[in-house]
Amino acid sequence: MESNSNDSKLGLALSGGGYRAATYHIGTFRALKKLELLEKIDVISTNSGGSITGACYALYGEKFEEVILKGVKKGIIRRVIIAPRFLLGIFIILVPIVNAVFPFFNTPGWLNLAIVALMILILAYAQFYILPLSSIIERIYNRIFFKGKKLKDFTDRWKTVLNSTNMETTRLFTFERTRMTDSFYNDHEKNNFVKLKNDEFPVAKAVMASTCVPFAFTPVRIPSKYFANPEDAQKINPRLVDGGVYDNQGIHKLTQSNSSCYCNNVIVSDAGQGFPFKRNYRNLISLLIHTSDVFMERIKKLQMMNSLYRGRDNNSIVAYQSLSFDVESSIPEFVRMLKDGNIAIPVIEAHEISNEDIEAGNWNKIKTQLESNIGYEDILSKACTQQELSKARGIGTSLSKLKNWEIEYLIKHAEAITELNVKLFLPHILS
């Protein structure tokens, strides 16, 4: 990709987390609108549940909230279970098993065992064809959120990037208004250039690829009709899963200086609840799912360390907020980062923190100054109580419908923590 020469761009990264994330990010948008930053955003990079929010905003503008809040009250899992294609798949699986079990005492045992073994082999080889969960969910996404919209329908007022992970290349595969690809398919030096037709690509399929949780949903394929050269469909075989497998927050493209999505100032909205996860590990499937969670959590922590705690030589200045953060701990954390030399010079100057106070270790004075600068008491008065925040963090990351109080608490915390951390870490961009 060509290097972006405009270092004043503002990027917004929206993490994954199912309906919890899609709703949580609404609070982030509300805070940014209040801070008069929403109209200044140049790039929105999204993953998984955040892609629902980002895609709706790119399609509907200010009406996106209405679409999302109406949609998250409609559970997708129940709709999947009653979908004819899902029921057909279950029927295909159960009939041979029932046929083998019921006449068990009337036919040779070896024959029944052979039938069951054959069914297991067929299921292992063709599970994604028998139970095409992603195709089913894509259709539901389309009905609830996207109404047949294509990538070309995204606004051109800012760049929206939906991230997925390409299992074929182990790289990010991104969907935008003007293109969809991953860097492996866009390498002219290695004569490995594949052009895909993005204009008519369904937004619902792109969001499905971004939200395709491993061990749960079917990897998303790119149909041959979306290849500019039909022969290329025989050369490559993209298999797309959740973008969080590669980039948990959607921050990767925004902070890479050689990326066309690079932004000097970045806001990260993270709907992660933090560890530890309290789950039972009684079977292989639950263990595999938790293993995936561990991988994603590790990626998130590495990204946080690279973005926030790598000293003042970072290319991008990042304001990071999370469902797992407490409002009360944000200023003490900022001061600790200041002590360790992890706060960028433009941020220090915008807060008018003197070198003399830093060298003298006047941390209480600096803390009081920061509280005044950002209007801390006002933000604290609008934040969730500890009980409300605890309940918000207990909301799962599935696509099950949300209750009104769940929506309220998620948005309430996101709005408060976004205002607080943007004022703390990006004061130089505020008017």
Side-chain angles (χ1 to χ4, degrees):
M1 293 183 179
E2 295 182 359
S3 178
N4 188 341
S5 61
N6 187 351
D7 288 349
S8 64
K9 284 192 172 183
L10 176 60
L12 173 62
L14 305 178
S15 80
Y19 271 1
R20 181 179 75 194
T23 304
Y24 181 82
H25 299 316
I26 290 176
T28 301
F29 277 83
R30 288 184 182 179
L32 295 179
K33 184 175 182 180
K34 175 184 176 182
L35 296 171
E36 299 182 353
L37 290 177
L38 196 53
E39 293 299 317
K40 297 179 181 179
I41 290 175
D42 298 286
V43 186
I44 299 178
S45 176
T46 71
N47 270 331
S48 200
S51 290
I52 297 174
T53 311
C56 284
Y57 185 59
L59 292 171
Y60 309 119
E62 293 184 357
K63 296 182 179 179
F64 85 106
E65 275 196 33
E66 178 183 342
V67 176
I68 294 174
L69 292 178
K70 183 178 179 181
V72 297
K73 294 179 181 179
K74 299 176 180 179
I76 284 182
I77 303 304
R78 183 183 66 83
R79 284 173 166 77
V80 170
I81 293 173
I82 64 175
R85 186 63 185 82
F86 179 82
L87 294 175
L88 175 61
I90 295 298
F91 178 79
I92 292 172
I93 294 171
L94 289 180
V95 166
I97 295 176
V98 172
N99 184 62
V101 171
F102 273 86
F104 191 86
F105 297 102
N106 299 320
T107 56
W110 67 266
L111 181 58
N112 294 291
L113 291 175
I115 292 173
V116 173
L118 179 62
M119 190 61 224
I120 292 173
L121 288 174
I122 292 173
L123 185 60
Y125 181 78
Q127 174 191 342
F128 295 152
Y129 297 96
I130 297 172
L131 286 174
L133 293 179
S134 291
S135 296
I136 298 170
I137 295 173
E138 177 191 331
R139 288 194 287 271
I140 298 172
Y141 276 162
N142 192 50
R143 287 198 301 270
I144 294 177
F145 297 108
F146 304 119
K147 314 297 181 185
K149 299 290 186 180
K150 314 296 184 184
L151 288 179
K152 67 179 181 182
D153 296 318
F154 279 175
T155 183
D156 62 356
R157 291 168 53 201
W158 60 86
K159 179 185 287 190
T160 300
V161 183
L162 311 183
N163 297 293
S164 64
T165 303
N166 188 352
M167 300 301 288
E168 182 183 46
T169 65
T170 68
R171 302 187 186 187
L172 281 180
F173 188 104
T174 58
F175 299 89
E176 304 175 32
R177 184 181 65 85
T178 56
R179 66 177 179 173
M180 60 183 195
T181 189
D182 90 17
S183 58
F184 185 82
Y185 304 143
N186 194 26
D187 192 335
H188 291 275
E189 293 182 1
K190 296 181 179 179
N191 196 27
N192 191 30
F193 181 73
V194 176
K195 182 172 176 54
L196 298 169
K197 298 187 290 187
N198 60 285
D199 279 6
E200 297 298 322
F201 197 84
V203 173
K205 185 178 287 292
V207 173
M208 184 61 243
S210 184
T211 61
C212 185
V213 179
F215 310 120
F217 303 142
T218 315
V220 174
R221 303 176 63 183
I222 305 296
S224 59
K225 66 180 179 179
Y226 297 112
F227 285 77
N229 180 359
E231 294 181 1
D232 285 338
Q234 306 302 317
K235 298 178 182 178
I236 66 172
N237 191 26
R239 289 293 185 271
L240 309 180
V241 298
D242 196 309
V245 174
Y246 188 97
D247 171 21
N248 200 267
Q249 278 80 41
I251 194 176
H252 179 76
K253 292 282 187 180
L254 299 179
T255 56
Q256 297 301 302
S257 57
N258 64 338
S259 168
S260 64
C261 299
Y262 171 76
C263 295
N264 193 49
N265 300 291
V266 176
I267 300 164
V268 179
S269 180
D270 173 35
Q273 65 183 5
F275 268 63
F277 290 154
K278 295 180 180 179
R279 291 183 180 174
N280 294 318
Y281 312 114
R282 295 173 179 166
N283 54 62
L284 181 61
I285 297 299
S286 64
L287 183 60
L288 285 172
I289 292 173
H290 183 62
T291 300
S292 176
D293 291 336
V294 172
F295 287 154
M296 292 187 185
E297 184 69 14
R298 177 167 170 76
I299 292 168
K300 179 173 76 172
K301 288 178 178 177
L302 286 173
Q303 289 177 321
M304 284 183 62
M305 293 300 294
N306 285 335
S307 299
L308 297 179
Y309 300 99
R310 207 174 59 188
R312 293 171 182 167
D313 59 342
N314 285 1
N315 288 324
S316 300
I317 301 176
V318 179
Y320 195 108
Q321 60 87 349
S322 175
L323 177 60
S324 64
F325 289 3
D326 293 326
V327 168
E328 295 85 353
S329 64
S330 292
I331 293 179
E333 180 63 17
F334 182 97
V335 172
R336 186 173 75 84
M337 292 173 64
L338 184 64
K339 291 179 184 179
D340 294 338
N342 291 317
I343 300 298
I345 298 299
V347 178
I348 296 173
E349 292 176 346
H351 279 304
E352 298 181 342
I353 300 172
S354 69
N355 289 329
E356 290 77 10
D357 282 334
I358 294 176
E359 292 171 1
N362 296 326
W363 306 120
N364 287 332
K365 177 185 176 181
I366 292 173
K367 179 175 178 291
T368 301
Q369 183 177 335
L370 289 170
E371 290 177 351
S372 175
N373 289 351
I374 68 173
Y376 173 71
E377 291 300 329
D378 179 61
I379 296 173
L380 185 61
S381 69
K382 296 178 292 187
C384 285
T385 65
Q386 281 301 315
Q387 184 179 17
E388 290 172 341
L389 186 54
S390 177
K391 289 183 177 180
R393 289 170 177 164
I395 299 168
T397 59
S398 70
L399 296 172
S400 300
K401 66 179 181 180
L402 298 182
K403 301 180 178 65
N404 288 332
W405 67 264
E406 292 175 317
I407 293 171
E408 177 189 351
Y409 295 165
L410 287 170
I411 292 175
K412 186 177 180 181
H413 180 69
E415 192 169 0
I417 201 72
T418 300
E419 180 180 354
L420 176 61
N421 281 280
V422 169
K423 285 182 174 179
L424 272 178
F425 289 91
L426 294 176
H428 54 287
I429 68 170
L430 297 173
S431 55

